[in-house]
Amino acid sequence: MRNLEMEAAKRLLLLLFLVSLLSISTATTTRKFRARKPCKRMVFYFHDIIYNGKNAKNATAAIVGAPAWGNRTILSGQNHFGDLVVFDDPITLDNNLHSTPVGRAQGFYIYDKKGIFTAWLGFSFVFNSTEHKGSINFAGADPLMNKTRDISVIGGTGDFFMARGVATLMTDAFEGEVYFRLRTDIKLYECW
Amino acid sequence: MRNLEMEAAKRLLLLLFLVSLLSISTATTTRKFRARKPCKRMVFYFHDIIYNGKNAKNATAAIVGAPAWGNRTILSGQNHFGDLVVFDDPITLDNNLHSTPVGRAQGFYIYDKKGIFTAWLGFSFVFNSTEHKGSINFAGADPLMNKTRDISVIGGTGDFFMARGVATLMTDAFEGEVYFRLRTDIKLYECW
Amino acid sequence: MRNLEMEAAKRLLLLLFLVSLLSISTATTTRKFRARKPCKRMVFYFHDIIYNGKNAKNATAAIVGAPAWGNRTILSGQNHFGDLVVFDDPITLDNNLHSTPVGRAQGFYIYDKKGIFTAWLGFSFVFNSTEHKGSINFAGADPLMNKTRDISVIGGTGDFFMARGVATLMTDAFEGEVYFRLRTDIKLYECW
């Protein structure tokens, strides 16, 4: 009887040791196993109306920097290379500019290529409703001519505390060089 | 005796299996359980003196972009919408502009709303003292009229290697449109 | 016999409890133990040719914002303080400007200090080759006079999905105020 108990105790100790090894190695390699499945997913639209000298009332964006050969009322040639645009755009749940906004998209984009339309974006989605409170911060390259483009969710506050992820942009509609609408499919992979 | 040992062995195997399942599920859901308790917290003040055509010696910031209706010496109307300001501001431990700086706050802000004061910030705290070496990088929306606003800590280098977190800004003081002081309460939730 | 089995069962339950405690505490302290060893490391060069009024064909960058005392054709005095430059620079694997580009570095930098050369960077490496597809997003302070400077990798897409890390910049060569080449040593510490 005593022997058997001793034997069992030894096994338990060995097991304890093995399991502790196992749980340590599991924890340190967590990321490699983590599925690319969003912990939160949301789709929004935002609407950008660039000031063109005539639409001061409706405009939600304005050119504030331009190259030496450009100006701040009309987007410059060479695919707007060098134009810096600041925006405060309404965010809607559907693709209708006149739907009740659920937040504001605020920040800037810079057209950064002579050959084709491409921009670099730095902006936030700012929410202050019963549905969402807080902000989601974005940064990344936006090669506008691709049907969909991925940028990074680099952080968040409030309801989106410490968020990280990827947002897929799609130009949903545009009218000349004054209006465009971006569908934004936000996939968060780090939620706290 | 043999039977009993076999039984014990079976149980151990089952246990090993159950525990391995447990430790895997614990690891993959770690984040949900992680407490929102900062791993590092620091409070700093930084001081912004905008160039206004007369204060070249003291100015730590300058307007470098403006909308078509603005200029680069005086902040534009409509809550400065479109003004892009570059800064290199002293960081102090207390709220005194004349205290010995412990670092520099360097980057830019863009006023991005016509209706109220709101800005988008991209900047770094740069430290090079015996106390701290390295940088903390920030980005986010700053709705200036709110008493406190949260932006994201999107990364860090040196002493702040790979840092992530949230910084709570508070306009601690301002004098007309030339000087303001921001209290910055940095809470890091990822420390390496 | 019965007693022994009861005893063994009790021990198993206790063990199960202890091990679950152990695996939880292991998981929550993972980060502190994580080694500062990159999960991916890559070295690239990128080449910046600033427009100076005469080199429109070769230029890959242009001044698009400047302080009141500057202009957009010539970098301003006081260490270019306030100059905002937009770029679309070729990325090469070696330090030869004429090597086949493997991607584009796109974004902006702002000179942000009067006393010495210092800039704030926001940009992306954009890849679309058989080797790499996707983007790496960067932000941070670049004190140009230091031999090497660290900025943050704040996110990534495609092959660099959810990447985080540090990039060490080194000015590898420059010619007057028109051309510079940056060696970029990218060390990712979060790979998905």
Side-chain angles (χ1 to χ4, degrees):
Chain A
M1 284 294 244
R2 290 256 145 202
N3 267 343
L4 189 66
E5 261 186 86
M6 283 289 281
E7 199 59 34
K10 270 185 202 160
R11 272 169 209 214
L12 284 173
L13 273 169
L14 180 67
L15 177 63
L16 190 63
F17 177 70
L18 286 173
V19 163
S20 71
L21 277 184
L22 178 77
S23 70
I24 284 167
S25 76
T26 306
T28 52
T29 56
T30 299
R31 278 182 182 278
K32 300 203 175 166
F33 296 131
R34 205 182 303 171
R36 292 195 181 187
K37 200 171 141 271
C39 47
K40 194 175 185 85
R41 188 163 181 176
M42 296 169 290
V43 175
F44 294 107
Y45 295 81
F46 68 98
H47 307 262
D48 197 72
I49 304 170
I50 306 176
Y51 175 72
N52 66 355
K54 299 171 210 158
N55 59 353
K57 261 197 183 158
N58 296 326
T60 64
I63 307 170
V64 305
W69 59 85
N71 68 61
R72 291 169 294 173
T73 309
I74 298 161
L75 288 162
S76 64
Q78 295 190 299
N79 295 291
H80 315 337
F81 176 75
D83 282 337
L84 165 62
V85 178
V86 177
F87 61 91
D88 167 38
D89 294 348
I91 301 170
T92 58
L93 292 176
D94 62 16
N95 63 7
N96 188 339
L97 169 61
H98 303 293
S99 293
T100 309
V102 297
R104 307 298 292 190
Q106 301 181 324
F108 70 96
Y109 51 90
I110 311 190
Y111 290 100
D112 57 11
K113 202 169 170 68
K114 287 188 280 186
I116 55 164
F117 284 117
T118 298
W120 203 85
L121 301 170
F123 67 101
S124 303
F125 273 13
V126 181
F127 298 98
N128 189 14
S129 67
T130 47
E131 191 72 31
H132 298 299
K133 280 197 205 310
S135 64
I136 305 174
N137 300 318
F138 304 87
D142 179 15
L144 291 154
M145 304 312 286
N146 297 0
K147 201 187 166 195
T148 62
R149 299 87 70 177
D150 282 350
I151 60 171
S152 292
V153 173
I154 57 174
T157 66
D159 291 354
F160 310 101
F161 179 77
M162 290 290 286
R164 284 191 79 227
V166 167
T168 302
L169 303 179
M170 192 178 80
T171 306
D172 191 52
F174 63 94
E175 283 172 29
E177 297 196 333
V178 171
Y179 172 77
F180 67 78
R181 179 170 71 222
L182 281 186
R183 185 182 185 275
T184 311
D185 183 354
I186 301 171
K187 286 152 284 187
L188 302 182
Y189 297 90
E190 292 194 19
C191 303
W192 281 59
Chain B
M1 285 294 242
R2 288 256 145 203
N3 267 344
L4 189 67
E5 260 186 86
M6 282 290 283
E7 199 59 32
K10 269 186 205 163
R11 271 167 208 218
L12 286 173
L13 273 169
L14 179 68
L15 177 64
L16 190 63
F17 176 71
L18 286 173
V19 163
S20 71
L21 276 184
L22 179 78
S23 70
I24 284 167
S25 77
T26 307
T28 53
T29 56
T30 299
R31 277 182 182 279
K32 301 203 175 166
F33 296 131
R34 205 181 302 170
R36 292 194 181 188
K37 198 170 141 272
C39 46
K40 194 175 186 86
R41 189 164 182 177
M42 296 169 290
V43 175
F44 295 107
Y45 295 80
F46 68 98
H47 307 261
D48 197 74
I49 304 170
I50 306 175
Y51 175 72
N52 66 354
K54 300 171 210 159
N55 59 352
K57 262 198 183 156
N58 296 326
T60 64
I63 307 170
V64 305
W69 60 84
N71 68 60
R72 292 170 294 174
T73 309
I74 297 161
L75 288 163
S76 64
Q78 295 189 299
N79 295 292
H80 315 337
F81 176 75
D83 282 338
L84 165 63
V85 178
V86 176
F87 61 90
D88 166 38
D89 294 348
I91 301 170
T92 58
L93 292 176
D94 61 17
N95 64 7
N96 188 339
L97 169 61
H98 303 292
S99 294
T100 308
V102 296
R104 306 296 295 188
Q106 300 181 326
F108 71 95
Y109 51 90
I110 312 189
Y111 290 99
D112 58 11
K113 201 169 172 69
K114 287 188 279 186
I116 54 164
F117 283 117
T118 298
W120 202 87
L121 301 169
F123 68 101
S124 302
F125 273 14
V126 180
F127 299 97
N128 188 15
S129 67
T130 47
E131 190 72 31
H132 298 299
K133 279 195 206 312
S135 64
I136 304 173
N137 299 317
F138 304 87
D142 179 15
L144 291 153
M145 304 312 286
N146 297 359
K147 201 187 165 193
T148 63
R149 299 88 68 177
D150 282 350
I151 60 171
S152 291
V153 173
I154 58 173
T157 67
D159 290 354
F160 309 102
F161 180 77
M162 290 290 286
R164 285 192 79 227
V166 167
T168 301
L169 304 179
M170 192 177 80
T171 306
D172 190 52
F174 64 95
E175 283 172 28
E177 298 195 331
V178 171
Y179 173 76
F180 67 79
R181 180 171 70 221
L182 280 187
R183 186 182 185 274
T184 311
D185 183 353
I186 301 172
K187 286 152 283 187
L188 303 182
Y189 297 91
E190 293 195 18
C191 303
W192 282 58
Chain C
M1 284 292 244
R2 290 257 144 200
N3 267 344
L4 190 67
E5 260 185 88
M6 283 287 283
E7 199 60 33
K10 270 186 202 161
R11 273 167 208 216
L12 286 173
L13 273 168
L14 180 68
L15 176 64
L16 191 62
F17 176 70
L18 287 173
V19 163
S20 71
L21 276 183
L22 179 77
S23 70
I24 284 167
S25 76
T26 307
T28 53
T29 55
T30 298
R31 277 182 182 280
K32 300 203 175 166
F33 295 130
R34 205 182 303 170
R36 293 195 179 186
K37 198 171 141 273
C39 46
K40 193 175 186 85
R41 188 163 182 178
M42 296 169 290
V43 174
F44 295 107
Y45 295 80
F46 68 97
H47 308 261
D48 197 72
I49 305 170
I50 305 176
Y51 175 72
N52 66 355
K54 299 171 210 158
N55 59 354
K57 262 197 183 158
N58 296 327
T60 64
I63 307 170
V64 305
W69 58 86
N71 69 60
R72 292 169 295 174
T73 310
I74 297 161
L75 288 162
S76 64
Q78 295 190 299
N79 295 292
H80 314 337
F81 176 74
D83 282 338
L84 165 63
V85 178
V86 177
F87 61 90
D88 166 38
D89 293 347
I91 301 170
T92 58
L93 291 176
D94 62 17
N95 64 7
N96 188 338
L97 169 62
H98 302 292
S99 295
T100 309
V102 297
R104 307 296 294 189
Q106 301 181 325
F108 71 94
Y109 51 89
I110 311 190
Y111 290 99
D112 58 10
K113 200 169 173 69
K114 287 189 279 186
I116 55 164
F117 283 117
T118 298
W120 202 86
L121 301 169
F123 68 101
S124 303
F125 273 13
V126 180
F127 299 98
N128 188 16
S129 68
T130 47
E131 191 71 32
H132 298 299
K133 280 195 205 310
S135 64
I136 304 174
N137 300 317
F138 303 87
D142 178 15
L144 290 153
M145 304 313 286
N146 297 0
K147 200 186 167 195
T148 63
R149 300 86 70 176
D150 282 350
I151 61 171
S152 291
V153 173
I154 57 173
T157 67
D159 290 354
F160 309 102
F161 180 78
M162 290 289 286
R164 286 191 78 227
V166 167
T168 302
L169 304 179
M170 192 178 80
T171 305
D172 190 52
F174 64 93
E175 283 171 30
E177 297 195 334
V178 172
Y179 172 76
F180 67 79
R181 179 172 70 222
L182 281 187
R183 186 182 185 274
T184 312
D185 183 353
I186 300 171
K187 286 152 284 186
L188 302 182
Y189 297 90
E190 293 194 19
C191 303
W192 281 59

